[in-house]
Short mmCIF file of all heavy atoms in Angstrom, two decimals:
data_model
loop_
_atom_site.label_atom_id
_atom_site.label_comp_id
_atom_site.label_asym_id
_atom_site.label_seq_id
_atom_site.Cartn_x
_atom_site.Cartn_y
_atom_site.Cartn_z
N THR A 16 20.78 -21.05 -58.35
CA THR A 16 20.03 -22.28 -58.61
C THR A 16 19.72 -23.05 -57.35
O THR A 16 19.01 -24.02 -57.35
CB THR A 16 20.86 -23.21 -59.58
OG1 THR A 16 22.08 -23.65 -58.91
CG2 THR A 16 21.18 -22.51 -60.86
N ARG A 17 20.29 -22.54 -56.18
CA ARG A 17 20.11 -23.26 -54.96
C ARG A 17 18.67 -23.52 -54.56
O ARG A 17 18.35 -24.60 -54.07
CB ARG A 17 20.87 -22.53 -53.83
CG ARG A 17 21.14 -23.37 -52.60
CD ARG A 17 22.01 -22.67 -51.60
NE ARG A 17 23.40 -22.57 -52.15
CZ ARG A 17 24.00 -21.39 -52.35
NH1 ARG A 17 23.37 -20.27 -52.08
NH2 ARG A 17 25.23 -21.38 -52.83
N PRO A 18 17.76 -22.56 -54.69
CA PRO A 18 16.38 -22.82 -54.34
C PRO A 18 15.69 -23.92 -55.20
O PRO A 18 14.64 -24.42 -54.86
CB PRO A 18 15.66 -21.50 -54.59
CG PRO A 18 16.71 -20.46 -54.55
CD PRO A 18 17.95 -21.13 -55.10
N TYR A 19 16.34 -24.25 -56.31
CA TYR A 19 15.78 -25.24 -57.23
C TYR A 19 16.70 -26.44 -57.32
O TYR A 19 16.88 -27.03 -58.40
CB TYR A 19 15.51 -24.57 -58.60
CG TYR A 19 14.96 -23.21 -58.53
CD1 TYR A 19 15.70 -22.05 -58.90
CD2 TYR A 19 13.68 -23.04 -58.01
CE1 TYR A 19 15.17 -20.82 -58.75
CE2 TYR A 19 13.15 -21.74 -57.88
CZ TYR A 19 13.90 -20.61 -58.25
OH TYR A 19 13.36 -19.39 -58.13
N ARG A 20 17.29 -26.75 -56.20
CA ARG A 20 18.35 -27.80 -56.19
C ARG A 20 17.86 -29.16 -56.66
O ARG A 20 18.59 -29.93 -57.24
CB ARG A 20 19.01 -27.91 -54.81
CG ARG A 20 18.05 -28.28 -53.70
CD ARG A 20 18.75 -28.42 -52.37
NE ARG A 20 19.29 -27.14 -51.90
CZ ARG A 20 18.60 -26.31 -51.12
NH1 ARG A 20 17.36 -26.66 -50.72
NH2 ARG A 20 19.13 -25.19 -50.72
N LEU A 21 16.57 -29.49 -56.44
CA LEU A 21 16.08 -30.81 -56.78
C LEU A 21 16.03 -30.95 -58.29
O LEU A 21 16.53 -31.94 -58.87
CB LEU A 21 14.69 -31.06 -56.18
CG LEU A 21 14.62 -31.21 -54.65
CD1 LEU A 21 13.21 -31.40 -54.19
CD2 LEU A 21 15.49 -32.41 -54.24
N ARG A 22 15.47 -29.95 -58.98
CA ARG A 22 15.42 -30.00 -60.44
C ARG A 22 16.81 -29.90 -61.04
O ARG A 22 17.13 -30.47 -62.05
CB ARG A 22 14.46 -28.94 -60.93
CG ARG A 22 12.96 -29.29 -60.83
CD ARG A 22 12.13 -28.23 -61.50
NE ARG A 22 10.72 -28.64 -61.50
CZ ARG A 22 9.86 -28.43 -60.51
NH1 ARG A 22 10.34 -27.86 -59.39
NH2 ARG A 22 8.62 -28.80 -60.61
N PHE A 23 17.61 -29.06 -60.41
CA PHE A 23 19.00 -28.85 -60.89
C PHE A 23 19.77 -30.14 -60.73
O PHE A 23 20.54 -30.58 -61.64
CB PHE A 23 19.68 -27.73 -60.10
CG PHE A 23 20.98 -27.32 -60.70
CD1 PHE A 23 21.07 -26.72 -61.95
CD2 PHE A 23 22.19 -27.53 -60.02
CE1 PHE A 23 22.27 -26.31 -62.51
CE2 PHE A 23 23.41 -27.16 -60.58
CZ PHE A 23 23.41 -26.54 -61.82
N GLY A 24 19.49 -30.88 -59.59
CA GLY A 24 20.18 -32.15 -59.40
C GLY A 24 19.70 -33.20 -60.43
O GLY A 24 20.48 -34.02 -60.91
N LEU A 25 18.38 -33.13 -60.77
CA LEU A 25 17.86 -34.04 -61.81
C LEU A 25 18.53 -33.77 -63.13
O LEU A 25 18.92 -34.69 -63.88
CB LEU A 25 16.34 -33.84 -61.93
CG LEU A 25 15.66 -34.64 -63.06
CD1 LEU A 25 15.80 -36.16 -62.80
CD2 LEU A 25 14.18 -34.25 -63.14
N ALA A 26 18.73 -32.46 -63.50
CA ALA A 26 19.42 -32.15 -64.74
C ALA A 26 20.85 -32.63 -64.73
O ALA A 26 21.33 -33.18 -65.73
CB ALA A 26 19.37 -30.61 -64.91
N LEU A 27 21.55 -32.49 -63.60
CA LEU A 27 22.92 -32.95 -63.50
C LEU A 27 22.99 -34.50 -63.63
O LEU A 27 23.88 -35.04 -64.26
CB LEU A 27 23.58 -32.48 -62.19
CG LEU A 27 23.90 -30.98 -62.11
CD1 LEU A 27 24.48 -30.67 -60.72
CD2 LEU A 27 24.88 -30.58 -63.20
N LEU A 28 22.01 -35.15 -62.98
CA LEU A 28 21.98 -36.62 -63.06
C LEU A 28 21.79 -37.06 -64.50
O LEU A 28 22.44 -38.04 -64.94
CB LEU A 28 20.87 -37.12 -62.16
CG LEU A 28 20.66 -38.66 -62.14
CD1 LEU A 28 21.93 -39.35 -61.56
CD2 LEU A 28 19.45 -39.04 -61.31
N GLY A 29 20.88 -36.38 -65.21
CA GLY A 29 20.66 -36.75 -66.59
C GLY A 29 21.91 -36.53 -67.45
O GLY A 29 22.24 -37.39 -68.30
N MET A 30 22.68 -35.48 -67.12
CA MET A 30 23.88 -35.21 -67.85
C MET A 30 24.95 -36.25 -67.53
O MET A 30 25.69 -36.73 -68.44
CB MET A 30 24.40 -33.81 -67.55
CG MET A 30 23.68 -32.69 -68.23
SD MET A 30 24.43 -31.06 -67.97
CE MET A 30 23.60 -30.54 -66.49
N LEU A 31 24.99 -36.69 -66.30
CA LEU A 31 25.94 -37.75 -65.89
C LEU A 31 25.61 -39.07 -66.61
O LEU A 31 26.54 -39.77 -67.07
CB LEU A 31 25.90 -37.92 -64.40
CG LEU A 31 26.49 -36.84 -63.54
CD1 LEU A 31 26.18 -37.01 -62.05
CD2 LEU A 31 27.99 -36.73 -63.76
N VAL A 32 24.34 -39.38 -66.70
CA VAL A 32 23.94 -40.62 -67.43
C VAL A 32 24.36 -40.56 -68.90
O VAL A 32 24.87 -41.51 -69.46
CB VAL A 32 22.43 -40.87 -67.26
CG1 VAL A 32 21.95 -42.04 -68.10
CG2 VAL A 32 22.11 -41.14 -65.79
N LEU A 33 24.06 -39.40 -69.50
CA LEU A 33 24.44 -39.23 -70.94
C LEU A 33 25.96 -39.33 -71.12
O LEU A 33 26.39 -39.95 -72.03
CB LEU A 33 23.97 -37.85 -71.37
CG LEU A 33 22.51 -37.74 -71.84
CD1 LEU A 33 22.15 -36.30 -72.18
CD2 LEU A 33 22.29 -38.61 -73.10
N ALA A 34 26.68 -38.69 -70.17
CA ALA A 34 28.16 -38.72 -70.30
C ALA A 34 28.66 -40.17 -70.11
O ALA A 34 29.55 -40.61 -70.81
CB ALA A 34 28.77 -37.77 -69.34
N ALA A 35 28.07 -40.87 -69.11
CA ALA A 35 28.53 -42.23 -68.84
C ALA A 35 28.18 -43.19 -70.00
O ALA A 35 28.94 -44.11 -70.23
CB ALA A 35 27.90 -42.73 -67.55
N SER A 36 27.06 -42.89 -70.70
CA SER A 36 26.69 -43.80 -71.77
C SER A 36 27.46 -43.56 -73.07
O SER A 36 27.47 -44.36 -74.01
CB SER A 36 25.19 -43.60 -72.04
OG SER A 36 24.94 -42.29 -72.56
N GLU A 37 28.22 -42.43 -73.09
CA GLU A 37 29.02 -42.12 -74.31
C GLU A 37 30.09 -43.18 -74.55
O GLU A 37 30.14 -43.73 -75.63
CB GLU A 37 29.60 -40.71 -74.19
CG GLU A 37 30.02 -40.13 -75.50
CD GLU A 37 28.88 -39.43 -76.25
OE1 GLU A 37 27.76 -39.40 -75.72
OE2 GLU A 37 29.10 -38.97 -77.37
N PRO A 38 30.95 -43.45 -73.57
CA PRO A 38 31.95 -44.49 -73.82
C PRO A 38 31.38 -45.89 -73.86
O PRO A 38 32.05 -46.84 -74.31
CB PRO A 38 32.95 -44.36 -72.64
CG PRO A 38 32.14 -43.65 -71.57
CD PRO A 38 31.18 -42.76 -72.28
N ALA A 39 30.12 -46.05 -73.43
CA ALA A 39 29.52 -47.39 -73.47
C ALA A 39 29.27 -47.80 -74.92
O ALA A 39 29.22 -49.00 -75.21
CB ALA A 39 28.21 -47.39 -72.71
N ILE A 40 29.12 -46.83 -75.82
CA ILE A 40 28.86 -47.17 -77.22
C ILE A 40 30.08 -47.87 -77.85
O ILE A 40 29.97 -48.98 -78.40
CB ILE A 40 28.47 -45.92 -78.04
CG1 ILE A 40 27.14 -45.38 -77.51
CG2 ILE A 40 28.33 -46.26 -79.52
CD1 ILE A 40 26.71 -44.07 -78.07
N PRO A 41 31.28 -47.31 -77.80
CA PRO A 41 32.44 -48.02 -78.36
C PRO A 41 32.76 -49.28 -77.52
O PRO A 41 33.33 -50.21 -78.04
CB PRO A 41 33.54 -47.01 -78.28
CG PRO A 41 33.19 -46.00 -77.31
CD PRO A 41 31.69 -45.91 -77.41
N ALA A 42 32.41 -49.20 -76.22
CA ALA A 42 32.67 -50.40 -75.40
C ALA A 42 31.87 -51.59 -75.85
O ALA A 42 32.28 -52.75 -75.75
CB ALA A 42 32.42 -50.07 -73.93
N LEU A 43 30.63 -51.33 -76.36
CA LEU A 43 29.81 -52.44 -76.89
C LEU A 43 30.27 -52.92 -78.24
O LEU A 43 29.93 -54.06 -78.62
CB LEU A 43 28.34 -51.97 -76.97
CG LEU A 43 27.55 -51.88 -75.58
CD1 LEU A 43 26.17 -51.33 -75.83
CD2 LEU A 43 27.54 -53.24 -74.94
N ILE A 44 30.98 -52.05 -78.97
CA ILE A 44 31.43 -52.45 -80.32
C ILE A 44 32.39 -53.61 -80.23
O ILE A 44 32.37 -54.52 -81.07
CB ILE A 44 32.06 -51.24 -81.03
CG1 ILE A 44 31.00 -50.20 -81.33
CG2 ILE A 44 32.77 -51.67 -82.33
CD1 ILE A 44 31.53 -48.93 -81.97
N LYS A 45 33.27 -53.60 -79.23
CA LYS A 45 34.28 -54.66 -79.16
C LYS A 45 33.66 -56.07 -78.98
O LYS A 45 33.92 -56.99 -79.78
CB LYS A 45 35.23 -54.39 -77.98
CG LYS A 45 36.44 -55.31 -77.91
CD LYS A 45 37.38 -54.88 -76.77
CE LYS A 45 38.70 -55.66 -76.79
NZ LYS A 45 38.46 -57.07 -76.64
N PRO A 46 32.79 -56.28 -78.01
CA PRO A 46 32.16 -57.64 -77.93
C PRO A 46 31.22 -57.91 -79.09
O PRO A 46 31.02 -59.08 -79.48
CB PRO A 46 31.37 -57.65 -76.62
CG PRO A 46 31.19 -56.20 -76.28
CD PRO A 46 32.39 -55.47 -76.81
N LEU A 47 30.61 -56.82 -79.67
CA LEU A 47 29.71 -57.05 -80.82
C LEU A 47 30.49 -57.63 -81.99
O LEU A 47 30.01 -58.61 -82.58
CB LEU A 47 29.10 -55.71 -81.22
CG LEU A 47 28.21 -55.72 -82.48
CD1 LEU A 47 26.97 -56.56 -82.25
CD2 LEU A 47 27.84 -54.27 -82.87
N LEU A 48 31.64 -57.13 -82.29
CA LEU A 48 32.39 -57.60 -83.39
C LEU A 48 33.12 -58.91 -83.10
O LEU A 48 33.04 -59.87 -83.86
CB LEU A 48 33.42 -56.56 -83.88
CG LEU A 48 32.81 -55.27 -84.49
CD1 LEU A 48 33.92 -54.28 -84.85
CD2 LEU A 48 32.00 -55.59 -85.75
N ASP A 49 33.83 -58.90 -81.94
CA ASP A 49 34.64 -60.09 -81.59
C ASP A 49 33.76 -61.32 -81.25
O ASP A 49 34.02 -62.44 -81.65
CB ASP A 49 35.53 -59.81 -80.40
CG ASP A 49 36.70 -58.89 -80.79
OD1 ASP A 49 36.98 -58.77 -81.96
OD2 ASP A 49 37.27 -58.22 -79.89
N GLY A 50 32.64 -61.03 -80.56
CA GLY A 50 31.77 -62.18 -80.09
C GLY A 50 30.78 -62.58 -81.19
O GLY A 50 30.57 -63.78 -81.39
N SER A 51 30.16 -61.61 -81.88
CA SER A 51 29.07 -61.97 -82.80
C SER A 51 29.65 -62.31 -84.19
O SER A 51 29.23 -63.29 -84.80
CB SER A 51 28.11 -60.79 -82.90
OG SER A 51 27.54 -60.51 -81.70
N PHE A 52 30.58 -61.45 -84.76
CA PHE A 52 30.97 -61.62 -86.12
C PHE A 52 32.25 -62.50 -86.26
O PHE A 52 32.40 -63.26 -87.22
CB PHE A 52 31.25 -60.28 -86.79
CG PHE A 52 29.99 -59.52 -86.96
CD1 PHE A 52 29.52 -58.58 -86.02
CD2 PHE A 52 29.19 -59.67 -88.12
CE1 PHE A 52 28.36 -57.85 -86.25
CE2 PHE A 52 28.03 -58.97 -88.30
CZ PHE A 52 27.63 -58.06 -87.38
N VAL A 53 33.16 -62.41 -85.27
CA VAL A 53 34.41 -63.17 -85.39
C VAL A 53 34.16 -64.53 -84.78
O VAL A 53 34.34 -65.60 -85.42
CB VAL A 53 35.57 -62.45 -84.71
CG1 VAL A 53 36.86 -63.30 -84.79
CG2 VAL A 53 35.80 -61.13 -85.38
N ALA A 54 33.83 -64.60 -83.48
CA ALA A 54 33.64 -65.89 -82.80
C ALA A 54 32.28 -66.55 -83.06
O ALA A 54 32.09 -67.75 -82.84
CB ALA A 54 33.77 -65.69 -81.26
N ARG A 55 31.30 -65.75 -83.54
CA ARG A 55 29.96 -66.22 -83.85
C ARG A 55 29.33 -66.89 -82.65
O ARG A 55 28.72 -67.95 -82.77
CB ARG A 55 29.99 -67.11 -85.07
CG ARG A 55 30.47 -66.44 -86.35
CD ARG A 55 30.48 -67.33 -87.53
NE ARG A 55 31.03 -66.67 -88.71
CZ ARG A 55 31.21 -67.23 -89.91
NH1 ARG A 55 30.85 -68.51 -90.06
NH2 ARG A 55 31.67 -66.53 -90.90
N ASP A 56 29.48 -66.25 -81.53
CA ASP A 56 28.96 -66.80 -80.26
C ASP A 56 27.46 -66.50 -80.17
O ASP A 56 27.07 -65.33 -80.25
CB ASP A 56 29.70 -66.14 -79.10
CG ASP A 56 29.31 -66.82 -77.74
OD1 ASP A 56 28.22 -67.35 -77.65
OD2 ASP A 56 30.18 -66.73 -76.81
N PRO A 57 26.56 -67.50 -80.09
CA PRO A 57 25.11 -67.27 -80.03
C PRO A 57 24.70 -66.35 -78.89
O PRO A 57 23.73 -65.60 -78.98
CB PRO A 57 24.53 -68.66 -79.89
CG PRO A 57 25.55 -69.62 -80.37
CD PRO A 57 26.88 -68.92 -80.05
N PHE A 58 25.41 -66.45 -77.75
CA PHE A 58 25.08 -65.65 -76.60
C PHE A 58 25.22 -64.13 -76.95
O PHE A 58 24.30 -63.35 -76.60
CB PHE A 58 26.02 -66.02 -75.44
CG PHE A 58 25.86 -65.09 -74.27
CD1 PHE A 58 24.77 -65.25 -73.41
CD2 PHE A 58 26.78 -64.10 -73.94
CE1 PHE A 58 24.60 -64.43 -72.30
CE2 PHE A 58 26.61 -63.30 -72.87
CZ PHE A 58 25.53 -63.45 -72.05
N PHE A 59 26.29 -63.79 -77.57
CA PHE A 59 26.51 -62.36 -77.89
C PHE A 59 25.56 -61.89 -79.03
O PHE A 59 25.08 -60.81 -79.05
CB PHE A 59 27.97 -62.14 -78.35
CG PHE A 59 28.94 -62.01 -77.23
CD1 PHE A 59 29.79 -63.06 -76.92
CD2 PHE A 59 28.97 -60.87 -76.43
CE1 PHE A 59 30.66 -62.96 -75.84
CE2 PHE A 59 29.85 -60.79 -75.35
CZ PHE A 59 30.70 -61.83 -75.07
N ILE A 60 25.24 -62.83 -79.94
CA ILE A 60 24.32 -62.52 -81.01
C ILE A 60 22.93 -62.15 -80.47
O ILE A 60 22.27 -61.21 -80.93
CB ILE A 60 24.21 -63.69 -82.02
CG1 ILE A 60 25.55 -63.88 -82.75
CG2 ILE A 60 23.11 -63.41 -83.05
CD1 ILE A 60 25.62 -65.08 -83.67
#
């Protein structure tokens, strides 16, 4: 894959973004519930 390192690097970057965004989903659940539904904070809503 070395001759195609730019596209291969783009593919790896995309995978890194997908992997990094995976824990972001449950991480957003905590302020969503605590801030919007429990505290009813307009900022979080």
Side-chain angles (χ1 to χ4, degrees):
T16 65
R17 196 171 293 119
Y19 318 111
R20 60 176 69 89
L21 291 179
R22 282 185 173 85
F23 191 66
L25 175 63
L27 289 177
L28 179 62
M30 284 187 270
L31 288 172
V32 172
L33 276 174
S36 64
E37 199 85 2
I40 297 173
L43 284 176
I44 291 176
K45 188 177 188 300
L47 175 65
L48 293 177
D49 289 340
S51 300
F52 291 94
V53 178
R55 299 179 183 179
D56 188 333
F58 174 77
F59 281 105
I60 293 173

